[in-house]
Amino acid sequence: MKSRLSSKMELLLKLLSIWCLIGLTVSQDITYEEHIAQIQACPKECRCPTNFPRAVYCDNKNLKNIPKIPPYTWYLYLQSNMIEVLSTDALQNATQLRWLNLNRNKITSEGVEEGVLSAMTHLVHLYMDDNLLSSVPAQLPASLEHLRLSRNRISKIPAGVFVGLDKLTLLDLQGNKLMDDAVTEVSLKGLNNLVQINLAKNQLSTMPLGLPPSTTQLFLDGNNIEKIPAGYFKGLPKVAFLRLNHNKLASSGVPKNVFNISSILDLQLSHNQLTDVPLIPSGLEHLHLDHNKIKTVSGSGVCPVSVEDLGDSLNESAPRLRYLRLDGNEIQPPIPRDVIMCFRLLRSIVI
């Protein structure tokens, strides 16, 4: 009797485990048959967790070549290896990929085989930071939303490489070798819905041309930019976060009203050669001016509205500045009273 009861319990547990597996696979939008096929096709060098059946982990394995990838993979992690070639053969089944991480490998532009990326028609995130690319990869899939190519050797953006990428919102090119003639209206054509572009730590000496009007976050730290043309931001009506730290900006190269943009919230101009505080737009909330050559600051010189017009209470016209950093300059405390009267929402001043 006990033996029969034990057998029934064992059968019940098996059935329960199967039902749990089926429930799990359904919850991850994968059929039971696909799940089994995915596990069976898992490369011996990689890890394919049963509780995350769409993911294949091949990171930190000292791989020189990409193994054959199972056909139902959505998330593929190949970072921190020694891969030199992005092979169409190894990735021929990986047409359902949504997320591909190839950071910290040795992939060259010549090693990106023709058609390997365009075949991934569902790909949303492509990460290729810390490789050996000399050019932005061609034939990128139209589904792409995030493209990260930081810390490569990129000096060229081929004309038309972004055409058709209407879904791309983030482009990270920091830490490359881009010069002024590489970042142009022609090379950036197609980025119609871009929100963030990171061009920090390149070799730019002028403000980049051809940035899409949709740009909201523009990062240009660590270049050799000396001046900003008057009216430059008229073509960027949505810019809210602007970083120009560690450049060569002098006050003579920064028109007084150049940052008078209604959309801007965060402006960073640290570690430049400014001697004057630029006019602060009313909507700005964070301003970094530390480590410049500024000697004085006055309310009459930087306040976007007349202090007399503000009255004694806050109103719609009151400047929104909350954080101001001025340390590393030649300013002697205290901050003048008219500055405090102008920026009444200030919560933190570093001097």
Side-chain angles (χ1 to χ4, degrees), residues 24-192:
L24 176 65
T25 57
V26 169
S27 70
Q28 300 233 348
D29 194 26
I30 185 171
T31 67
Y32 175 71
E33 290 78 12
E34 289 173 346
H35 192 172
I36 295 301
Q38 183 80 351
I39 298 301
Q40 289 176 342
C42 185
K44 65 180 186 301
E45 306 94 332
C46 308
R47 183 169 57 89
C48 304
T50 56
N51 63 340
F52 196 18
R54 293 285 194 182
V56 177
Y57 293 87
C58 309
D59 52 307
N60 288 289
K61 299 293 184 182
N62 290 318
L63 297 177
K64 291 187 177 180
N65 300 297
I66 299 175
K68 288 271 189 179
I69 303 303
Y72 305 110
T73 306
W74 282 12
Y75 309 94
L76 178 57
Y77 300 91
L78 287 161
Q79 67 270 27
S80 302
N81 282 294
M82 301 173 69
I83 297 166
E84 297 179 3
V85 176
L86 201 53
S87 162
T88 42
D89 182 53
L91 293 164
Q92 63 181 338
N93 291 330
T95 56
Q96 295 190 31
L97 279 182
R98 270 66 168 172
W99 189 298
L100 177 56
N101 191 330
L102 289 158
N103 292 343
R104 297 184 295 282
N105 277 286
K106 297 184 177 182
I107 301 169
T108 62
S109 289
E110 295 72 24
V112 181
E113 294 187 357
E114 187 174 355
V116 65
L117 293 171
S118 59
M120 302 176 188
T121 55
H122 300 284
L123 192 64
V124 177
H125 299 269
L126 176 58
Y127 296 166
M128 296 185 73
D129 298 334
D130 298 289
N131 277 279
L132 303 174
L133 299 172
S134 57
S135 177
V136 173
Q139 297 181 317
L140 295 165
S143 55
L144 207 59
E145 295 180 13
H146 287 188
L147 177 60
R148 295 185 181 273
L149 301 170
S150 65
R151 295 178 298 279
N152 277 273
R153 300 174 180 178
I154 296 172
S155 60
K156 182 181 179 183
I157 304 175
V161 73
F162 298 122
V163 171
L165 300 187
D166 290 333
K167 294 182 179 180
L168 195 70
T169 59
L170 184 149
L171 176 60
D172 189 350
L173 287 164
Q174 69 164 314
N176 281 287
K177 297 184 177 182
L178 292 168
M179 300 181 74
D180 297 327
D181 59 355
V183 186
T184 66
E185 188 171 354
V186 173
S187 64
L188 298 180
K189 186 178 180 181
L191 297 173
N192 301 322

Side-chain angles (χ1 to χ4, degrees), residues 58-345:
C58 309
D59 52 307
N60 288 289
K61 299 293 184 182
N62 290 318
L63 297 177
K64 291 187 177 180
N65 300 297
I66 299 175
K68 288 271 189 179
I69 303 303
Y72 305 110
T73 306
W74 282 12
Y75 309 94
L76 178 57
Y77 300 91
L78 287 161
Q79 67 270 27
S80 302
N81 282 294
M82 301 173 69
I83 297 166
E84 297 179 3
V85 176
L86 201 53
S87 162
T88 42
D89 182 53
L91 293 164
Q92 63 181 338
N93 291 330
T95 56
Q96 295 190 31
L97 279 182
R98 270 66 168 172
W99 189 298
L100 177 56
N101 191 330
L102 289 158
N103 292 343
R104 297 184 295 282
N105 277 286
K106 297 184 177 182
I107 301 169
T108 62
S109 289
E110 295 72 24
V112 181
E113 294 187 357
E114 187 174 355
V116 65
L117 293 171
S118 59
M120 302 176 188
T121 55
H122 300 284
L123 192 64
V124 177
H125 299 269
L126 176 58
Y127 296 166
M128 296 185 73
D129 298 334
D130 298 289
N131 277 279
L132 303 174
L133 299 172
S134 57
S135 177
V136 173
Q139 297 181 317
L140 295 165
S143 55
L144 207 59
E145 295 180 13
H146 287 188
L147 177 60
R148 295 185 181 273
L149 301 170
S150 65
R151 295 178 298 279
N152 277 273
R153 300 174 180 178
I154 296 172
S155 60
K156 182 181 179 183
I157 304 175
V161 73
F162 298 122
V163 171
L165 300 187
D166 290 333
K167 294 182 179 180
L168 195 70
T169 59
L170 184 149
L171 176 60
D172 189 350
L173 287 164
Q174 69 164 314
N176 281 287
K177 297 184 177 182
L178 292 168
M179 300 181 74
D180 297 327
D181 59 355
V183 186
T184 66
E185 188 171 354
V186 173
S187 64
L188 298 180
K189 186 178 180 181
L191 297 173
N192 301 322
N193 293 297
L194 196 70
V195 174
Q196 182 188 115
I197 183 167
N198 192 339
L199 292 165
K201 298 180 181 178
N202 276 280
Q203 298 173 16
L204 302 175
S205 58
T206 60
M207 296 293 287
L209 301 175
L211 296 176
S214 58
T215 304
T216 303
Q217 301 173 29
L218 174 58
F219 304 146
L220 293 166
D221 315 74
N223 281 285
N224 299 307
I225 298 170
E226 297 180 359
K227 62 181 181 179
I228 304 172
Y232 177 82
F233 295 104
K234 287 183 179 178
L236 298 170
K238 295 183 178 180
V239 68
F241 301 89
L242 176 61
R243 293 199 328 224
L244 280 158
N245 304 317
H246 294 277
N247 276 282
K248 296 180 179 179
L249 289 169
S251 289
S252 58
V254 180
K256 191 73 174 177
N257 295 320
V258 75
F259 299 120
N260 193 18
I261 321 158
S262 60
S263 59
I264 197 161
L265 298 174
D266 188 291
L267 175 60
Q268 299 188 21
L269 298 166
S270 305
H271 294 272
N272 278 283
Q273 299 168 21
L274 299 174
T275 52
D276 301 310
V277 178
L279 185 67
I280 301 172
S282 293
L284 189 69
E285 295 184 3
H286 296 86
L287 177 60
H288 297 247
L289 289 168
D290 54 286
H291 298 91
N292 278 278
K293 298 179 179 180
I294 300 168
K295 294 183 179 180
T296 61
V297 56
S298 67
S300 59
V302 300
C303 191
V305 296
S306 169
V307 175
E308 289 77 17
D309 293 341
L310 289 174
D312 296 326
S313 59
L314 289 173
N315 54 53
E316 289 293 323
S317 64
R320 315 311 291 177
L321 194 67
R322 298 173 185 274
Y323 179 87
L324 175 60
R325 187 168 174 185
L326 289 165
D327 53 305
N329 283 285
E330 300 173 27
I331 302 170
Q332 298 298 318
I335 294 291
R337 185 175 179 275
D338 59 353
V339 173
I340 305 300
M341 289 297 294
C342 174
F343 303 109
R344 299 177 188 185
L345 293 176

